[in-house]
Amino acid sequence: MSIQTVATKPFPGQRPGTSGLRKKVSVFRQPSYLENFVQSVFDTLGDCAGKTLVLGGDGRYHNREAVQTILHMAAAHGFAKVLVGQGGILSTPAVSCVIRKHGALGGIVLSASHNPGGPDGDFGIKYNIAAGGPAPESVTEAIFHRTESISRYRISDAPAIDIDRIATSRIEQMDVEVIDPVADYAELMQRLFDFDAIKALFGSGFRMCFDGMHAVSGPYAKAILEGMLGAPAGTVINAVPLEDFGGHHPDPNPVNAAQLIAIMAEDDAPDFGAASDGDGDRNMIVGRKFEVTPSDSLAVLAANAAVAPGYRAGLKGIARSMPTSRAADRVAEALGIPCYETPTGWKFFGTLLDAGKATLCGEESYGTGSDHIREKDGLWAVLFWLNLLAVTGKSVQQLVDEHWARFGRNYYSRHDYEAVASEAANELMASLRIKLPTLAGRDLGHYVVDFADDFEYTDPVDGSVATQQGIRIVMTNGSRIVFRLSGTGTEGATLRVYLERYEADPTYHHLLTQQALAALILIAEQVGGITGWTGRARPTVIT
Ligand code: G16
């Protein structure tokens, strides 16, 4: 067994997007494609002698092969140890948890999150830093620049090792410790939430349906909900992770988690429904015949955080991504704590969490989390809701209705135009940018524009600046339209249009969301010229 140096040539386009490098499986399977990226990560990290790396993925197609490749490259780069999830499986939040708990240098997450899997699906890779969160842009840019000039990678030619047995083996001088993917994570959850209260809730006949979407959360949910908390067997559906997620799109929203939505719409539906995504960091919360938007979920949890033992000491601050609704801002104001508005991407919360400025964070893209780790965390949000339901004895809808009555309702929706031609999408954004200076003060029918800009963010901790993070058209009454191009798609461009309208009067808190937003939807079309640029008369997905 020896370390081989293999000559290679750069591949174009290995720039990480919103959350790591995501491409079609066929792209990742090209000889040297993954190796080039991994070597670029290692070159950026420098000397890793004596250091520990964490490695795992969401179990999608190509996960196991990629794990072997990375293990053999880590051995060639001098790592002392790699902690790898059994079967190559670790949810994204579990990677963050394990990095922090074991003092690792960082971790590699193999996932394309909610994107479909299988031979024709997507694959992805992301590097997380010692704090446990996604590498900041300074690091991802350095990795990208390295990919542009790479000429060799190093890899051990040792045979593949067994990653299915919990044991320690060796590649070259490096220990490979195969760990239980659930244990460290479950132990952390037990410290944050009132497991006794949740156990009593399940003991009282409370019924829940958790949709694992045949992705990584299944084993975590089974072990924690059915194992530790006594939920009846069968509470977790679609629990077995499959390489192609059963042919579905593992994205926990009402469109893709249609089975769960149908179950929760029945007259004798369970009391509580939830789903998580491919890599376990997203969550959707559903009550009986009642869907909770991610923005509202963040606000409700923030307003009630004291129910959970881990948050009894109070919140230091709340952070949300710019396109996320401003429901959480109202809670922060009532609590007398700051609310930070960051660009889209969980990586932007890292500095705020590290500096103790924020405790809870959330995004409209079904992501919620806290300072317990540095990733968003699907099952954590579900346990938080269970803790809240157990302590209050109220239903999901009751909690949200009461929240709206107290704080007002932020009607909210996102319209996605998927796989549109990149050029057209870029031109749409460029034409909006040209219009920006002319919009302030314009009367657009039901709304007058207060200001319009291209969101720019200066990190209050490290001073780093991110520009062009989404075009905002903000009305004088606080309603908003935001245009942004997704940074996670793998086909053409995805245009996201975010719509938000605040309603203080409880008499109007139960309108249909799309009707409540109808005037804004019309303005978005008029100002953005969406149909003209994209050739699409309507969005592909509405959440
Ligand atoms: C990733 C990021 C999130 C972001 C989401 C959507 O989530 O971690 O911060 O909100 O993508 O990003 P975009 O709008 O650019 O597609 P995940 O769950 O895909 O890792």
Side-chain angles (χ1 to χ4, degrees):
M1 293 184 300
S2 61
I3 309 253
Q4 307 291 315
T5 299
V6 183
T8 187
K9 282 207 215 87
F11 288 90
Q14 288 197 319
R15 175 177 251 143
T18 308
S19 186
L21 183 68
R22 291 184 190 170
K23 301 279 179 198
K24 291 277 168 219
V25 167
S26 54
V27 173
F28 266 101
R29 290 178 96 184
Q30 297 171 89
S32 303
Y33 190 88
L34 175 69
E35 289 84 345
N36 276 17
F37 189 78
V38 173
Q39 186 65 53
S40 300
V41 171
F42 290 164
D43 287 348
T44 304
L45 296 179
D47 182 13
C48 294
K51 301 276 175 28
T52 297
L53 182 74
V54 177
L55 175 61
D58 61 13
R60 67 178 58 227
Y61 186 81
H62 201 51
N63 193 71
R64 296 178 70 90
E65 294 84 334
V67 163
Q68 293 290 348
T69 301
I70 296 167
L71 285 174
H72 287 76
M73 291 185 69
H77 197 67
F79 278 96
K81 188 180 354 181
V82 176
L83 299 171
V84 60
Q86 186 179 24
I89 299 269
L90 275 175
S91 74
T92 293
V95 170
S96 187
C97 165
V98 173
I99 292 173
R100 292 167 69 81
K101 180 167 174 178
H102 296 271
L105 173 70
I108 291 182
V109 188
L110 299 171
S111 171
S113 187
H114 53 289
N115 296 13
D120 301 322
D122 293 350
F123 193 75
I125 178 167
K126 178 171 83 162
Y127 181 70
N128 280 25
I129 58 175
E137 283 200 334
S138 54
V139 176
T140 56
E141 280 300 288
I143 294 169
F144 170 59
H145 290 309
R146 184 72 194 119
T147 66
E148 292 183 306
S149 60
I150 190 163
S151 59
R152 52 103 196 110
Y153 65 84
R154 285 161 56 77
I155 189 162
S156 162
D157 63 3
I161 62 153
D162 181 3
I163 54 170
D164 293 310
R165 211 165 40 92
I166 300 211
T168 300
S169 51
R170 284 201 138 204
I171 302 176
E172 309 294 343
Q173 82 306 328
M174 185 183 84
D175 281 341
V176 180
E177 196 178 322
V178 177
I179 59 169
D180 173 353
V182 181
D184 288 333
Y185 178 81
E187 186 251 340
L188 177 58
M189 293 302 111
Q190 205 165 7
R191 278 192 277 131
L192 296 175
F193 300 113
D194 188 342
F195 271 35
D196 288 338
I198 303 174
K199 249 190 247 173
L201 180 70
F202 281 122
S204 71
F206 176 91
R207 288 184 302 131
M208 169 181 186
C209 180
F210 180 97
D211 189 350
M213 303 192 88
H214 286 306
V216 81
S217 293
Y220 291 84
K222 275 242 162 218
I224 296 174
L225 299 176
E226 296 184 12
M228 298 166 81
L229 292 168
T235 295
V236 183
I237 61 168
N238 301 319
V240 179
L242 299 175
E243 287 198 331
D244 66 349
F245 309 117
H248 298 297
H249 202 125
D251 196 358
N253 62 43
V255 178
N256 291 308
Q259 184 188 357
L260 176 70
I261 296 295
I263 291 171
M264 295 306 294
E266 286 166 16
D267 287 336
D268 66 341
D271 302 282
F272 182 50
S276 190
D277 70 330
D279 60 332
D281 58 0
R282 296 186 176 205
N283 75 92
M284 176 174 67
I285 300 298
V286 195
R288 192 178 284 156
K289 300 183 190 232
F290 187 81
E291 295 155 20
V292 185
T293 68
S295 299
D296 280 341
S297 176
L298 171 67
V300 170
L301 293 183
N304 296 285
V307 296
Y311 303 93
R312 225 154 253 165
L315 306 179
K316 294 170 188 145
I318 305 172
R320 62 161 174 84
S321 66
M322 183 274 282
T324 302
S325 101
R326 297 198 277 204
D329 301 35
R330 294 175 191 278
V331 177
E333 201 185 333
L335 293 174
I337 56 174
C339 187
Y340 299 91
E341 186 175 48
T342 63
T344 295
W346 204 262
K347 59 192 171 196
F348 290 104
F349 294 135
T351 51
L352 298 172
L353 294 168
D354 288 346
K357 288 182 176 293
T359 308
L360 295 193
C361 306
E363 292 190 282
E364 52 66 41
S365 53
Y366 293 86
T368 334
S370 87
D371 58 0
H372 67 293
I373 53 170
R374 294 295 181 272
E375 288 279 5
K376 56 187 187 271
D377 190 343
L379 202 45
W380 168 92
V382 174
L383 291 167
F384 211 144
W385 269 93
L386 278 171
N387 198 150
L388 178 55
L389 295 165
V391 170
T392 60
K394 294 178 180 171
S395 71
V396 173
Q397 174 156 10
Q398 223 178 333
L399 285 163
V400 176
D401 278 345
E402 287 176 12
H403 185 92
W404 289 339
R406 179 173 170 205
F407 294 98
R409 176 172 181 184
N410 290 66
Y411 279 101
Y412 188 82
S413 181
R414 188 177 97 186
H415 290 197
D416 290 344
Y417 298 79
E418 295 177 323
V420 302
S422 297
E423 244 176 52
N426 288 328
E427 285 184 44
L428 182 153
M429 295 300 283
S431 76
L432 269 172
R433 284 195 181 98
I434 293 168
K435 280 188 200 155
L436 284 177
T438 67
L439 288 176
R442 251 180 71 188
D443 187 336
L444 296 170
H446 289 80
Y447 296 95
V448 175
V449 178
D450 179 17
F451 70 92
D453 68 1
D454 199 347
F455 182 58
E456 185 172 311
Y457 177 67
T458 303
D459 186 305
V461 179
D462 67 13
S464 59
V465 175
T467 57
Q468 299 207 328
Q469 296 297 320
I471 289 176
R472 309 189 276 192
I473 303 174
V474 184
M475 312 302 173
T476 46
N477 67 356
S479 296
R480 301 190 297 168
I481 304 170
V482 176
F483 292 84
R484 227 190 114 248
L485 297 185
S486 159
T488 57
T490 58
E491 259 180 78
T494 294
L495 170 69
R496 303 205 195 282
V497 183
Y498 310 82
L499 306 136
E500 177 181 4
R501 177 193 140 197
Y502 178 67
E503 177 58 68
D505 184 350
T507 324
Y508 301 109
H509 280 174
H510 293 91
L511 308 176
L512 292 173
T513 301
Q514 299 307 313
Q515 278 174 18
L517 296 170
L520 284 172
I521 294 169
L522 212 64
I523 294 173
E525 172 59 38
Q526 282 162 0
V527 178
I530 302 168
T531 306
W533 286 111
T534 64
R536 306 278 175 83
R538 61 190 66 84
T540 347
V541 179
I542 295 180
T543 53

